[in-house]
Coordinates of all heavy atoms in Angstrom, one line a residue:
M1 N -2.0 18.6 7.7 CA -1.5 19.9 7.0 C -2.3 20.1 5.7 O -2.7 19.2 5.1 CB 0.0 19.8 6.8 CG 0.4 18.9 5.7 SD 2.2 18.6 5.6 CE 2.8 20.1 4.9
K2 N -2.5 21.4 5.4 CA -3.1 21.7 4.1 C -2.0 21.9 3.1 O -1.0 22.6 3.5 CB -3.9 23.0 4.3 CG -5.3 22.8 4.9 CD -6.1 24.0 4.6 CE -7.4 24.0 5.4 NZ -8.3 22.9 5.2
I3 N -2.1 21.4 2.0 CA -1.1 21.6 0.9 C -1.9 22.1 -0.3 O -3.1 21.9 -0.5 CB -0.4 20.3 0.5 CG1 -1.3 19.2 0.0 CG2 0.5 19.8 1.7 CD1 -0.6 18.0 -0.6
I4 N -1.1 22.9 -1.1 CA -1.7 23.5 -2.3 C -1.0 22.8 -3.5 O 0.2 22.9 -3.6 CB -1.5 25.0 -2.4 CG1 -2.2 25.6 -1.2 CG2 -2.0 25.6 -3.7 CD1 -1.9 27.1 -1.0
L5 N -1.8 22.2 -4.3 CA -1.2 21.6 -5.5 C -1.5 22.5 -6.7 O -2.7 22.8 -6.9 CB -1.8 20.2 -5.8 CG -1.2 19.1 -4.9 CD1 -2.0 19.0 -3.6 CD2 -1.3 17.8 -5.6
K6 N -0.5 22.8 -7.5 CA -0.7 23.6 -8.7 C -0.5 22.7 -9.9 O 0.6 22.2 -10.1 CB 0.4 24.8 -8.7 CG 0.2 25.8 -9.7 CD 1.2 26.9 -9.4 CE 1.2 27.9 -10.6 NZ 2.3 28.9 -10.4
I7 N -1.6 22.4 -10.5 CA -1.6 21.3 -11.6 C -1.8 21.9 -12.9 O -2.8 22.7 -13.1 CB -2.6 20.3 -11.2 CG1 -2.4 19.7 -9.8 CG2 -2.7 19.2 -12.3 CD1 -3.4 18.7 -9.3
Q8 N -1.0 21.5 -13.9 CA -1.2 22.0 -15.2 C -2.4 21.2 -15.9 O -2.4 20.0 -15.8 CB 0.1 21.8 -16.1 CG -0.1 22.5 -17.4 CD 1.2 22.4 -18.2 OE1 2.0 21.5 -18.1 NE2 1.5 23.5 -19.0
R9 N -3.3 22.0 -16.4 CA -4.5 21.4 -17.1 C -4.6 21.8 -18.5 O -4.1 22.9 -18.9 CB -5.8 21.9 -16.4 CG -5.8 21.8 -14.9 CD -6.0 20.4 -14.3 NE -7.0 19.7 -15.0 CZ -8.3 19.6 -14.6 NH1 -8.7 20.3 -13.5 NH2 -9.2 18.9 -15.2
F10 N -5.2 21.0 -19.3 CA -5.4 21.4 -20.7 C -6.5 20.4 -21.3 O -6.4 19.2 -21.2 CB -4.2 21.2 -21.5 CG -4.4 21.6 -23.0 CD1 -4.7 22.9 -23.4 CD2 -4.3 20.6 -24.0 CE1 -4.9 23.2 -24.7 CE2 -4.5 20.9 -25.3 CZ -4.8 22.2 -25.7
N11 N -7.6 21.0 -21.8 CA -8.6 20.3 -22.5 C -8.6 20.8 -23.9 O -9.0 21.9 -24.1 CB -10.0 20.5 -21.8 CG -11.1 19.8 -22.5 OD1 -10.9 19.3 -23.7 ND2 -12.2 19.6 -21.9
P12 N -8.2 20.0 -24.9 CA -8.1 20.5 -26.3 C -9.4 20.9 -26.8 O -9.5 21.7 -27.8 CB -7.5 19.3 -27.0 CG -7.7 18.1 -26.2 CD -7.8 18.6 -24.8
E13 N -10.5 20.5 -26.2 CA -11.8 20.8 -26.7 C -12.3 22.2 -26.3 O -13.2 22.8 -26.9 CB -12.9 19.8 -26.4 CG -12.6 18.4 -27.0 CD -13.6 17.4 -26.6 OE1 -14.5 17.7 -25.8 OE2 -13.4 16.2 -27.0
T14 N -11.8 22.7 -25.1 CA -12.2 24.0 -24.6 C -11.1 25.0 -24.4 O -11.4 26.2 -24.2 CB -13.0 23.7 -23.3 OG1 -12.1 23.1 -22.3 CG2 -14.2 22.9 -23.5
D15 N -9.8 24.5 -24.3 CA -8.8 25.5 -23.9 C -7.9 25.7 -25.1 O -7.6 24.8 -25.9 CB -7.9 24.9 -22.8 CG -8.7 24.5 -21.5 OD1 -9.7 25.3 -21.2 OD2 -8.4 23.5 -20.9
D16 N -7.4 27.0 -25.2 CA -6.5 27.3 -26.3 C -5.1 27.0 -25.9 O -4.2 26.7 -26.7 CB -6.6 28.8 -26.6 CG -7.9 29.2 -27.2 OD1 -8.5 28.3 -28.0 OD2 -8.4 30.3 -27.0
V17 N -4.8 27.2 -24.6 CA -3.4 26.9 -24.1 C -3.5 26.3 -22.7 O -4.5 26.4 -22.0 CB -2.6 28.2 -23.9 CG1 -2.3 28.9 -25.3 CG2 -3.3 29.2 -23.0
P18 N -2.5 25.5 -22.3 CA -2.5 24.9 -21.0 C -2.5 26.0 -19.9 O -2.0 27.1 -20.1 CB -1.2 24.1 -20.9 CG -0.8 23.9 -22.3 CD -1.3 25.1 -23.1
F19 N -3.0 25.7 -18.7 CA -3.1 26.6 -17.6 C -2.9 25.9 -16.3 O -3.0 24.6 -16.3 CB -4.4 27.4 -17.6 CG -5.6 26.5 -17.4 CD1 -6.1 26.3 -16.1 CD2 -6.2 25.8 -18.4 CE1 -7.2 25.5 -15.8 CE2 -7.3 24.9 -18.2 CZ -7.8 24.8 -16.9
F20 N -2.5 26.6 -15.3 CA -2.3 26.0 -13.9 C -3.6 26.2 -13.1 O -4.1 27.3 -13.1 CB -1.1 26.5 -13.2 CG 0.2 25.9 -13.8 CD1 0.9 26.5 -14.8 CD2 0.7 24.7 -13.3 CE1 2.1 26.0 -15.3 CE2 1.8 24.1 -13.8 CZ 2.5 24.8 -14.8
Q21 N -4.0 25.2 -12.4 CA -5.1 25.3 -11.5 C -4.7 24.8 -10.1 O -4.0 23.8 -10.0 CB -6.3 24.4 -12.0 CG -7.5 24.5 -11.2 CD -8.7 23.9 -11.9 OE1 -8.6 23.4 -13.0 NE2 -9.9 23.9 -11.2
E22 N -5.1 25.6 -9.1 CA -4.7 25.2 -7.7 C -5.8 24.5 -7.0 O -7.0 24.8 -7.1 CB -4.3 26.5 -7.0 CG -3.0 27.2 -7.5 CD -2.5 28.3 -6.6 OE1 -3.3 28.6 -5.6 OE2 -1.5 28.9 -6.9
Y23 N -5.3 23.5 -6.2 CA -6.3 22.8 -5.4 C -5.7 22.7 -4.0 O -4.5 22.5 -3.8 CB -6.4 21.3 -5.9 CG -7.0 21.2 -7.2 CD1 -6.2 21.1 -8.3 CD2 -8.4 21.2 -7.4 CE1 -6.7 21.0 -9.6 CE2 -8.9 21.0 -8.7 CZ -8.1 20.9 -9.8 OH -8.7 20.8 -11.0
T24 N -6.5 22.9 -3.0 CA -6.0 22.8 -1.6 C -6.6 21.5 -1.0 O -7.7 21.1 -1.2 CB -6.6 24.0 -0.7 OG1 -6.1 25.2 -1.3 CG2 -6.1 23.9 0.7
V25 N -5.6 20.7 -0.4 CA -6.0 19.4 0.0 C -5.4 19.2 1.4 O -4.3 19.7 1.8 CB -5.3 18.3 -0.9 CG1 -5.5 16.9 -0.4 CG2 -5.8 18.4 -2.3
E26 N -6.2 18.5 2.3 CA -5.7 18.1 3.6 C -5.0 16.8 3.5 O -5.5 15.8 2.9 CB -6.9 18.0 4.5 CG -6.6 17.7 6.0 CD -6.0 19.0 6.6 OE1 -6.4 20.1 6.4 OE2 -5.0 18.7 7.4
A27 N -3.7 16.8 3.9 CA -2.9 15.6 3.7 C -1.9 15.5 4.9 O -1.5 16.5 5.5 CB -2.1 15.7 2.4
D28 N -1.6 14.2 5.2 CA -0.5 14.0 6.2 C 0.8 14.1 5.5 O 0.9 13.8 4.3 CB -0.7 12.6 6.8 CG -1.9 12.5 7.7 OD1 -2.3 13.5 8.3 OD2 -2.5 11.4 7.8
P29 N 1.8 14.5 6.3 CA 3.2 14.5 5.7 C 3.7 13.2 5.0 O 4.4 13.2 4.1 CB 4.1 15.0 6.8 CG 3.2 15.7 7.8 CD 1.8 15.0 7.6
T30 N 3.2 12.1 5.6 CA 3.6 10.8 5.1 C 2.7 10.3 4.0 O 2.9 9.2 3.5 CB 3.7 9.8 6.2 OG1 2.5 9.7 6.9 CG2 4.8 10.2 7.2
D31 N 1.6 11.0 3.6 CA 0.8 10.6 2.5 C 1.7 10.7 1.2 O 2.6 11.5 1.1 CB -0.4 11.5 2.3 CG -1.5 11.2 3.3 OD1 -1.4 10.2 4.0 OD2 -2.4 12.0 3.4
R32 N 1.3 9.9 0.2 CA 1.9 10.0 -1.1 C 1.2 11.1 -1.9 O 0.0 11.3 -1.7 CB 1.8 8.6 -1.8 CG 2.5 7.5 -1.0 CD 2.2 6.2 -1.6 NE 0.7 6.0 -1.7 CZ 0.1 5.1 -2.4 NH1 0.8 4.2 -3.1 NH2 -1.2 5.0 -2.5
L33 N 1.9 11.6 -2.8 CA 1.4 12.6 -3.7 C 0.2 12.0 -4.5 O -0.8 12.7 -4.7 CB 2.4 13.2 -4.7 CG 2.1 14.4 -5.4 CD1 1.7 15.6 -4.5 CD2 3.2 14.8 -6.3
L34 N 0.3 10.8 -4.8 CA -0.8 10.1 -5.5 C -2.1 10.1 -4.7 O -3.2 10.3 -5.2 CB -0.4 8.6 -5.9 CG -1.4 7.8 -6.6 CD1 -1.8 8.5 -8.0 CD2 -1.0 6.4 -6.8
D35 N -2.0 10.0 -3.4 CA -3.2 10.0 -2.5 C -3.8 11.4 -2.6 O -5.1 11.5 -2.6 CB -2.8 9.8 -1.1 CG -2.1 8.4 -0.9 OD1 -2.6 7.4 -1.5 OD2 -1.2 8.3 -0.1
A36 N -3.0 12.5 -2.7 CA -3.6 13.8 -2.8 C -4.3 14.0 -4.1 O -5.4 14.6 -4.2 CB -2.5 14.8 -2.6
L37 N -3.7 13.4 -5.2 CA -4.4 13.6 -6.5 C -5.7 12.8 -6.5 O -6.7 13.3 -7.1 CB -3.4 13.0 -7.6 CG -2.2 13.8 -7.8 CD1 -1.2 13.1 -8.8 CD2 -2.5 15.2 -8.4
I38 N -5.7 11.6 -5.9 CA -6.9 10.8 -5.9 C -8.0 11.5 -5.1 O -9.2 11.6 -5.4 CB -6.6 9.4 -5.3 CG1 -5.8 8.6 -6.3 CG2 -7.9 8.7 -5.0 CD1 -5.2 7.3 -5.8
Q39 N -7.6 12.2 -4.0 CA -8.5 12.9 -3.2 C -9.1 14.1 -4.0 O -10.3 14.3 -3.9 CB -7.8 13.5 -1.9 CG -8.7 14.1 -0.9 CD -7.9 14.6 0.3 OE1 -8.2 15.8 0.7 NE2 -7.0 13.9 0.8
I40 N -8.3 14.8 -4.7 CA -8.8 15.9 -5.6 C -9.8 15.3 -6.6 O -10.9 15.8 -6.7 CB -7.7 16.6 -6.3 CG1 -6.8 17.3 -5.4 CG2 -8.3 17.5 -7.4 CD1 -5.5 17.8 -6.0
K41 N -9.5 14.2 -7.3 CA -10.4 13.7 -8.3 C -11.7 13.2 -7.7 O -12.8 13.4 -8.2 CB -9.7 12.5 -9.0 CG -10.5 11.9 -10.1 CD -9.8 11.3 -11.2 CE -10.6 10.7 -12.2 NZ -11.0 11.7 -13.3
Q42 N -11.6 12.6 -6.5 CA -12.8 12.0 -5.9 C -13.7 13.1 -5.3 O -15.0 13.0 -5.3 CB -12.5 11.0 -4.8 CG -12.0 9.7 -5.4 CD -11.7 8.7 -4.3 OE1 -11.4 9.0 -3.2 NE2 -11.8 7.4 -4.7
Y43 N -13.1 14.1 -4.6 CA -13.9 15.1 -3.8 C -14.0 16.5 -4.4 O -14.9 17.3 -3.9 CB -13.4 15.1 -2.4 CG -13.5 13.7 -1.7 CD1 -12.4 13.0 -1.5 CD2 -14.8 13.2 -1.4 CE1 -12.5 11.7 -0.9 CE2 -14.9 11.9 -0.8 CZ -13.7 11.2 -0.6 OH -13.8 10.0 0.0
Q44 N -13.1 16.9 -5.3 CA -13.1 18.3 -5.7 C -13.4 18.5 -7.2 O -14.1 19.4 -7.6 CB -11.8 19.0 -5.4 CG -11.5 19.1 -3.9 CD -10.3 19.9 -3.6 OE1 -10.0 20.9 -4.3 NE2 -9.5 19.5 -2.6
D45 N -12.7 17.6 -8.0 CA -12.8 17.9 -9.5 C -12.7 16.6 -10.2 O -11.5 16.1 -10.5 CB -11.7 18.9 -9.9 CG -11.8 19.3 -11.3 OD1 -12.6 18.7 -12.1 OD2 -11.1 20.2 -11.7
G46 N -13.8 16.0 -10.6 CA -13.8 14.7 -11.3 C -13.2 14.8 -12.7 O -13.0 13.8 -13.3
T47 N -13.0 16.1 -13.2 CA -12.4 16.2 -14.5 C -10.9 16.1 -14.5 O -10.3 16.0 -15.6 CB -12.8 17.5 -15.2 OG1 -12.1 18.6 -14.5 CG2 -14.3 17.8 -15.2
L48 N -10.3 16.0 -13.3 CA -8.8 15.9 -13.3 C -8.4 14.6 -13.8 O -8.9 13.5 -13.4 CB -8.3 16.1 -11.8 CG -6.8 16.0 -11.6 CD1 -6.1 17.2 -12.3 CD2 -6.5 16.0 -10.1
G49 N -7.5 14.6 -14.7 CA -7.0 13.3 -15.4 C -5.6 13.1 -15.0 O -4.7 14.0 -15.1
F50 N -5.2 11.9 -14.6 CA -3.8 11.5 -14.5 C -3.8 10.0 -14.5 O -4.8 9.3 -14.4 CB -3.3 11.9 -13.1 CG -4.1 11.5 -11.9 CD1 -3.8 10.3 -11.2 CD2 -5.1 12.3 -11.4 CE1 -4.6 9.9 -10.2 CE2 -5.9 11.9 -10.3 CZ -5.6 10.7 -9.7
R51 N -2.6 9.4 -14.8 CA -2.5 8.0 -15.0 C -1.9 7.4 -13.7 O -1.0 7.9 -13.1 CB -1.6 7.7 -16.2 CG -2.2 8.3 -17.5 CD -1.3 8.0 -18.6 NE -1.6 6.6 -19.1 CZ -0.9 6.0 -20.1 NH1 0.0 6.7 -20.7 NH2 -1.3 4.8 -20.4
K52 N -2.3 6.2 -13.4 CA -1.7 5.4 -12.4 C -2.2 3.9 -12.6 O -3.1 3.7 -13.3 CB -2.2 5.9 -11.0 CG -3.7 5.6 -10.7 CD -3.9 5.6 -9.2 CE -5.4 5.3 -8.9 NZ -5.7 3.9 -9.1
S53 N -1.4 3.0 -12.0 CA -1.8 1.6 -12.1 C -1.4 0.9 -10.9 O -2.2 0.6 -10.0 CB -1.1 1.0 -13.4 OG -1.6 -0.3 -13.5
C54 N -0.1 0.5 -10.7 CA 0.3 -0.3 -9.6 C 0.2 0.4 -8.2 O 0.0 -0.2 -7.2 CB 1.7 -0.9 -9.8 SG 3.0 0.4 -9.7
A55 N 0.5 1.7 -8.2 CA 0.6 2.5 -7.0 C 1.7 2.0 -6.0 O 1.7 2.3 -4.9 CB -0.8 2.5 -6.2
H56 N 2.7 1.3 -6.6 CA 3.8 0.8 -5.8 C 5.2 1.1 -6.4 O 6.1 0.4 -6.1 CB 3.6 -0.6 -5.5 CG 2.5 -0.9 -4.6 ND1 2.5 -0.7 -3.2 CD2 1.2 -1.4 -4.8 CE1 1.3 -1.0 -2.7 NE2 0.6 -1.5 -3.7
G57 N 5.2 2.0 -7.3 CA 6.5 2.4 -7.9 C 7.1 1.3 -8.9 O 8.3 1.3 -9.1
V58 N 6.2 0.5 -9.5 CA 6.7 -0.5 -10.4 C 6.5 -0.2 -11.8 O 7.3 -0.3 -12.7 CB 6.0 -1.9 -10.0 CG1 6.5 -3.0 -11.0 CG2 6.4 -2.3 -8.6
C59 N 5.3 0.3 -12.2 CA 4.9 0.4 -13.6 C 5.3 1.7 -14.2 O 5.5 1.7 -15.4 CB 3.4 0.2 -13.7 SG 2.4 1.6 -13.0
G60 N 5.5 2.7 -13.4 CA 5.9 4.0 -14.0 C 4.8 4.8 -14.6 O 5.0 5.9 -15.2
S61 N 3.5 4.4 -14.5 CA 2.5 5.1 -15.3 C 2.1 6.4 -14.6 O 1.5 7.3 -15.3 CB 1.2 4.2 -15.4 OG 0.7 4.0 -14.1
D62 N 2.5 6.7 -13.4 CA 2.2 8.0 -12.8 C 3.4 8.9 -12.8 O 3.5 9.8 -11.9 CB 1.6 7.8 -11.4 CG 2.6 7.1 -10.4 OD1 3.5 6.5 -10.9 OD2 2.3 7.3 -9.2
A63 N 4.3 8.7 -13.7 CA 5.4 9.6 -13.9 C 4.9 11.0 -14.2 O 4.0 11.1 -15.1 CB 6.4 9.1 -14.9
M64 N 5.4 12.0 -13.6 CA 5.0 13.4 -13.8 C 6.1 14.4 -13.3 O 7.0 14.0 -12.6 CB 3.6 13.7 -13.2 CG 3.7 13.5 -11.7 SD 2.0 13.7 -10.9 CE 1.1 12.3 -11.6
Q65 N 5.9 15.6 -13.7 CA 6.8 16.6 -13.2 C 6.3 17.1 -11.9 O 5.2 17.5 -11.7 CB 6.8 17.8 -14.2 CG 7.5 17.6 -15.5 CD 8.9 18.0 -15.5 OE1 9.2 19.1 -15.0 NE2 9.8 17.1 -15.9
I66 N 7.2 16.9 -10.9 CA 6.8 17.3 -9.5 C 7.8 18.4 -9.0 O 9.0 18.1 -8.9 CB 6.9 16.1 -8.6 CG1 5.9 15.0 -9.1 CG2 6.5 16.5 -7.1 CD1 6.1 13.6 -8.4
N67 N 7.4 19.6 -8.8 CA 8.2 20.7 -8.5 C 9.4 20.8 -9.5 O 10.5 21.0 -9.1 CB 8.8 20.6 -7.1 CG 7.7 20.9 -6.0 OD1 6.6 21.3 -6.4 ND2 8.0 20.7 -4.8
G68 N 9.1 20.6 -10.8 CA 10.1 20.8 -11.8 C 11.0 19.6 -12.1 O 11.8 19.6 -13.0
K69 N 10.8 18.5 -11.4 CA 11.6 17.3 -11.6 C 10.8 16.1 -11.9 O 9.6 16.0 -11.4 CB 12.5 17.0 -10.3 CG 13.4 18.1 -10.0 CD 14.2 17.7 -8.7 CE 15.1 18.9 -8.3 NZ 15.6 18.8 -6.9
D70 N 11.3 15.2 -12.7 CA 10.6 14.0 -13.0 C 10.4 13.1 -11.7 O 11.4 13.0 -11.0 CB 11.3 13.2 -14.1 CG 11.4 13.9 -15.4 OD1 10.5 14.8 -15.6 OD2 12.2 13.6 -16.2
G71 N 9.3 12.5 -11.6 CA 9.1 11.7 -10.4 C 7.8 10.8 -10.5 O 7.0 11.0 -11.5
L72 N 7.7 9.9 -9.6 CA 6.5 9.1 -9.6 C 5.6 9.6 -8.4 O 6.1 9.7 -7.3 CB 6.8 7.6 -9.3 CG 7.7 6.9 -10.4 CD1 8.1 5.5 -10.0 CD2 6.9 6.9 -11.7
A73 N 4.3 9.8 -8.7 CA 3.4 10.4 -7.6 C 3.2 9.3 -6.5 O 3.1 9.7 -5.4 CB 2.1 10.8 -8.3
C74 N 3.3 8.1 -6.9 CA 3.1 7.0 -5.8 C 4.3 6.8 -5.0 O 4.2 6.1 -4.0 CB 2.6 5.7 -6.5 SG 3.9 4.9 -7.5
K75 N 5.5 7.3 -5.3 CA 6.7 7.2 -4.5 C 7.1 8.5 -3.9 O 8.2 8.5 -3.2 CB 7.8 6.6 -5.4 CG 7.5 5.2 -5.9 CD 8.6 4.2 -5.9 CE 9.7 4.4 -4.9 NZ 10.5 3.2 -4.7
T76 N 6.4 9.5 -4.1 CA 6.7 10.9 -3.6 C 5.9 11.2 -2.4 O 4.6 11.2 -2.5 CB 6.5 11.9 -4.7 OG1 7.3 11.6 -5.8 CG2 6.9 13.3 -4.2
L77 N 6.5 11.4 -1.3 CA 5.8 11.8 -0.1 C 5.5 13.3 0.0 O 6.3 14.1 -0.5 CB 6.6 11.4 1.2 CG 6.9 9.9 1.3 CD1 7.7 9.6 2.6 CD2 5.6 9.0 1.3
V78 N 4.4 13.6 0.5 CA 4.0 15.0 0.7 C 5.1 15.8 1.4 O 5.4 16.9 1.0 CB 2.6 15.1 1.4 CG1 2.4 16.5 1.9 CG2 1.5 14.7 0.5
K79 N 5.7 15.2 2.5 CA 6.7 16.0 3.2 C 7.9 16.3 2.4 O 8.6 17.2 2.8 CB 7.0 15.2 4.5 CG 7.8 13.9 4.2 CD 8.1 13.2 5.5 CE 8.9 11.9 5.2 NZ 9.3 11.2 6.4
D80 N 8.1 15.5 1.3 CA 9.3 15.8 0.5 C 9.1 16.8 -0.5 O 10.1 17.3 -1.2 CB 9.8 14.5 -0.2 CG 10.2 13.4 0.9 OD1 10.7 13.9 2.0 OD2 10.1 12.2 0.6
V81 N 7.9 17.2 -0.8 CA 7.6 18.2 -1.8 C 6.9 19.5 -1.3 O 6.7 20.4 -2.1 CB 6.9 17.6 -3.0 CG1 7.8 16.6 -3.7 CG2 5.6 17.0 -2.6
A82 N 6.5 19.5 -0.1 CA 5.7 20.6 0.5 C 6.4 21.2 1.7 O 7.0 20.4 2.5 CB 4.3 20.2 0.8
D83 N 6.4 22.5 1.9 CA 6.9 23.1 3.1 C 5.9 22.9 4.3 O 4.8 22.3 4.0 CB 6.9 24.6 3.0 CG 8.0 25.0 2.0 OD1 8.8 24.2 1.7 OD2 8.0 26.2 1.7
Q84 N 6.2 23.4 5.4 CA 5.2 23.3 6.5 C 4.0 24.1 6.2 O 2.9 23.9 6.7 CB 5.8 23.8 7.8 CG 6.9 22.9 8.4 CD 6.4 21.5 8.7 OE1 5.2 21.4 9.1 NE2 7.2 20.5 8.5
D85 N 4.2 25.2 5.3 CA 3.0 26.0 4.9 C 2.2 25.3 3.8 O 1.2 25.8 3.4 CB 3.4 27.3 4.3 CG 4.6 28.0 5.0 OD1 5.1 27.4 6.0 OD2 4.9 29.0 4.5
G86 N 2.7 24.2 3.3 CA 1.9 23.5 2.3 C 2.4 23.8 0.9 O 1.8 23.3 -0.1
A87 N 3.4 24.6 0.7 CA 3.9 24.9 -0.6 C 5.4 24.7 -0.6 O 6.0 24.7 0.4 CB 3.6 26.4 -1.0
K88 N 6.0 24.6 -1.8 CA 7.4 24.5 -1.9 C 7.9 25.0 -3.2 O 7.2 25.0 -4.2 CB 7.9 23.1 -1.7 CG 9.3 22.9 -1.4 CD 9.7 21.5 -1.0 CE 10.8 21.5 0.0 NZ 11.1 20.1 0.5
Ligands
LIG1 S1 1.4 3.8 -10.3 FE1 2.9 2.4 -11.0 S2 4.7 3.4 -10.6 FE2 3.3 4.7 -9.7

């Protein structure tokens, strides 16, 4: 399924205010959100910055706002945050 991630971006050297940027990613419903972020960074936009470490829900370094709620990208499945259309 294709999902659309709307990610808040801000570069203090070039941006006056934060803005949202959309990325479309091919992902399986059982993929983790962290997998989608890694895919964006590797294949679409190397400037995307996010933190991660253990990738197993232990360290908490990939904590972020996901659909308005606090969560860990490595413990959040795509199917839990996206509709069949890829948005939620
Ligand atoms: S990367 Fe460690 S909790 Fe997600």
Side-chain angles (χ1 to χ4, degrees):
M1 69 190 288
K2 280 194 191 302
I3 61 170
I4 299 169
L5 286 86
K6 191 172 167 187
I7 301 174
Q8 188 174 33
R9 310 286 313 269
F10 180 67
N11 180 344
E13 295 178 0
T14 59
D15 304 324
D16 293 329
V17 294
F19 64 96
F20 283 93
Q21 186 166 356
E22 289 189 359
Y23 297 95
T24 303
V25 177
E26 187 67 39
D28 289 332
T30 55
D31 282 350
R32 302 168 305 165
L33 194 55
L34 181 60
D35 299 322
L37 292 171
I38 290 170
Q39 189 180 132
I40 292 169
K41 182 156 181 83
Q42 286 183 335
Y43 299 108
Q44 293 185 39
D45 187 349
T47 68
L48 182 65
F50 56 91
R51 300 179 82 181
K52 69 163 183 72
S53 185
C54 70
H56 293 286
V58 177
C59 71
S61 66
D62 63 342
M64 59 184 67
Q65 289 268 310
I66 303 167
N67 286 354
K69 296 180 183 165
D70 296 338
L72 297 174
C74 66
K75 296 220 25 160
T76 303
L77 298 180
V78 165
K79 68 180 181 181
D80 295 333
V81 293
D83 290 351
Q84 292 300 328
D85 318 0
K88 200 169 210 178

